[in-house]
Amino acid sequence: MDIKEILANRQSNISSPQNRGIFVLLRWILAFLGFILIAGLLFPTAVGAILNFIWVTLLAIVVTFFTLGILVIVGLRQEASHILDILFEGSLTFLDLADFIRIVYRRFIEVLKEFLVFAAPVFAYVLTFVLYVLLLILYKWVGRSFDVAIFTIILTFLLVYLFGFFNRPKPDPAEEDLTWRDVFKKRFRGGFIDGFEIVLFVFFLTMDSTRVFFLPESLNVELKAKLGGYDLMVRSFIYTDHMKITVNLIIITIITEIFRNTMKVIAGARKHYISDRSFDETKVAAYSRSLRIKNAIRKSFNDAKDDLVKFITFTTVLFGAFMFFPRLKLLTLGVASVTNLFLDIILPERLTSQKSSDLLSRVIVKVFKL
């Protein structure tokens, strides 16, 4: 027999089911010994108690062994056999106990999964509240020493961009294909989007406040924000102080939003036109191109009408409130509008997504009964 055959035989012996089981057992033993060694260095008291329990158990087994041997020697073989039966049946109850523990563990995992799915929005709200606190601390920390005009523009762009990225349309998988992780992610994402929307609104509302109760006095300071000679910390509606710039800022914001909604109507009309044309290719003479365009625009406008009403209502209320606040908030509205327009360009699926179901839209519908 040559060397190749010897090596092949050794390899086949190693890969046999019996040897594989032995190797798995040895691996677990080595892993346990390694765990005990590492835990002994980190937690010597706890490991000492565990080793003492193991030693007492082994000692009890040895004492039981010798006791049975002595009983057989003195002529009590049947009694020793009966004790062995009792010990054997008792050891089998450990299997029942193991099955019970396994059932309890599986049920615990099922309940834990149900709880995680149910509480997913709460986890998302907690996370968004933590983000709000961190954002406000960062903004106040910068505003304590520096002018915040440019920083506000950059921060607004990043926050609105991140919100638009998280809230981008995604296809919904079939309900039967969803695992509990998928359901948890879906509910967590929905809660995070609602919570992040609240964070944006509350952050822009309290960014210049000097009475935030959970901040130290060193951070509750007056902010400085100027662009050229335009003081952004002055109340928006002041006729004698750069009123024209304030009006231009409002115009830019409103026109940008109107342009965005017009893009949505056009994108929806294009979608309806393509669908209608593919369905009515045989009616070119009776169903002209101009008529298809008109019908597509009408359908798209009807689809977007509810969102347009919500947009007009929300924007009017928001600007009506912000006119009594510093101009810095108007600047954030303008930056947010431009950022949303940028998102609509790079994520065209936003233009043809379903009707908005975000938190503010739901609140507007309920408050104004739209």
Side-chain angles (χ1 to χ4, degrees):
M1 182 180 295
D2 57 7
I3 297 178
K4 292 183 179 180
E5 293 179 353
I6 295 174
L7 294 176
N9 290 333
R10 289 183 177 179
Q11 184 66 29
S12 62
N13 291 332
I14 292 175
S15 59
S16 63
Q18 183 178 1
N19 291 340
R20 192 181 302 113
I22 295 174
F23 292 151
V24 170
L25 178 61
L26 292 176
R27 183 176 63 186
W28 280 105
I29 293 175
L30 292 176
F32 175 75
L33 294 177
F35 172 77
I36 291 295
L37 178 62
I38 296 174
L41 297 176
L42 299 177
F43 310 101
T45 304
V47 173
I50 294 173
L51 292 178
N52 286 333
F53 174 77
I54 294 174
W55 182 83
V56 170
T57 302
L58 296 177
L59 179 62
I61 294 174
V62 172
V63 171
T64 303
F65 177 84
F66 282 117
T67 301
L68 292 174
I70 293 173
L71 289 176
V72 174
I73 292 173
V74 298
L76 300 176
R77 183 177 179 278
Q78 291 184 352
E79 287 73 5
S81 178
H82 183 63
I83 293 174
L84 278 175
D85 292 335
I86 295 174
L87 293 176
F88 176 74
E89 293 296 331
S91 63
L92 291 180
T93 58
F94 282 103
L95 297 177
D96 297 332
L97 179 62
D99 290 336
F100 175 75
I101 294 174
R102 190 180 300 109
I103 293 172
V104 172
Y105 173 75
R106 290 176 179 174
R107 181 55 185 163
F108 170 76
I109 295 299
E110 291 177 0
V111 173
L112 179 62
K113 289 178 180 179
E114 293 175 0
F115 170 75
L116 290 177
V117 170
F118 177 78
V122 178
F123 298 147
Y125 298 151
V126 172
L127 177 60
T128 52
F129 177 75
V130 173
L131 290 176
Y132 164 71
V133 174
L134 295 178
L135 274 173
L136 199 59
I137 291 175
L138 173 64
Y139 189 80
K140 292 289 189 178
W141 180 78
V142 174
R144 184 175 58 180
S145 305
F146 303 98
D147 186 287
V148 295
I150 303 300
F151 181 67
T152 301
I153 295 174
I154 297 174
L155 187 61
T156 302
F157 174 82
L158 291 176
L159 291 176
V160 176
Y161 180 85
L162 288 175
F163 177 74
F165 179 79
F166 285 124
N167 199 24
R168 69 189 187 278
K170 286 186 175 181
D172 292 329
E175 291 292 336
E176 59 271 10
D177 296 334
L178 293 177
T179 64
W180 79 269
R181 290 186 179 88
D182 296 328
V183 178
F184 175 83
K185 291 177 182 178
K186 184 178 180 180
R187 289 177 58 84
F188 184 87
R189 180 176 179 270
F192 184 82
I193 290 173
D194 286 347
F196 199 77
E197 191 174 8
I198 296 174
V199 164
L200 289 180
F201 182 77
V202 176
F203 172 73
F204 290 131
L205 196 65
T206 59
M207 61 195 301
D208 60 326
S209 176
T210 58
R211 299 179 181 178
V212 183
F213 67 93
F214 56 82
L215 292 181
E217 291 297 328
S218 59
L219 294 180
N220 277 319
V221 295
E222 294 284 345
L223 300 177
K224 296 179 181 179
K226 289 186 177 181
L227 286 177
Y230 188 65
D231 191 355
L232 294 169
M233 297 310 298
V234 176
R235 188 162 53 89
S236 300
F237 190 74
I238 295 181
Y239 183 76
T240 58
D241 189 357
H242 297 90
M243 184 62 184
K244 187 176 181 180
I245 298 179
T246 302
V247 172
N248 290 336
L249 190 60
I250 296 174
I251 291 174
I252 291 173
T253 304
I254 297 297
I255 295 301
T256 302
E257 289 294 332
I258 292 176
F259 181 70
R260 288 185 57 238
N261 283 274
T262 304
M263 288 175 58
K264 290 183 178 181
V265 173
I266 294 174
R270 181 177 180 273
K271 185 178 179 180
H272 284 298
Y273 176 78
I274 294 174
S275 175
D276 194 24
R277 184 179 59 181
S278 62
F279 183 73
D280 271 313
E281 285 290 351
T282 60
K283 300 181 181 179
V284 176
Y287 198 48
S288 63
R289 183 170 180 268
S290 60
L291 185 57
R292 285 199 301 268
I293 293 175
K294 290 180 183 179
N295 288 337
I297 294 175
R298 289 192 185 100
K299 291 179 181 178
S300 179
F301 180 76
N302 289 330
D303 292 340
K305 189 187 297 183
D306 290 341
D307 284 343
L308 289 174
V309 173
K310 296 175 189 176
F311 154 70
I312 294 172
T313 306
F314 173 71
T315 306
T316 302
V317 172
L318 196 62
F319 271 96
F322 276 18
M323 288 300 292
F324 298 96
F325 288 97
R327 298 162 175 170
L328 186 65
K329 299 184 189 297
L330 290 180
L331 177 65
T332 60
L333 290 179
V335 175
S337 297
V338 175
T339 305
N340 281 320
L341 177 60
F342 173 73
L343 284 168
D344 290 339
I345 294 173
I346 65 173
L347 297 174
E349 62 269 18
R350 283 164 50 98
L351 299 175
T352 56
S353 61
Q354 297 178 350
K355 294 183 179 182
S356 60
S357 59
D358 53 89
L359 180 63
L360 289 180
S361 297
R362 298 196 299 269
V363 171
I364 291 172
V365 170
K366 189 171 184 179
V367 173
F368 295 99
K369 299 180 180 180
L370 299 177

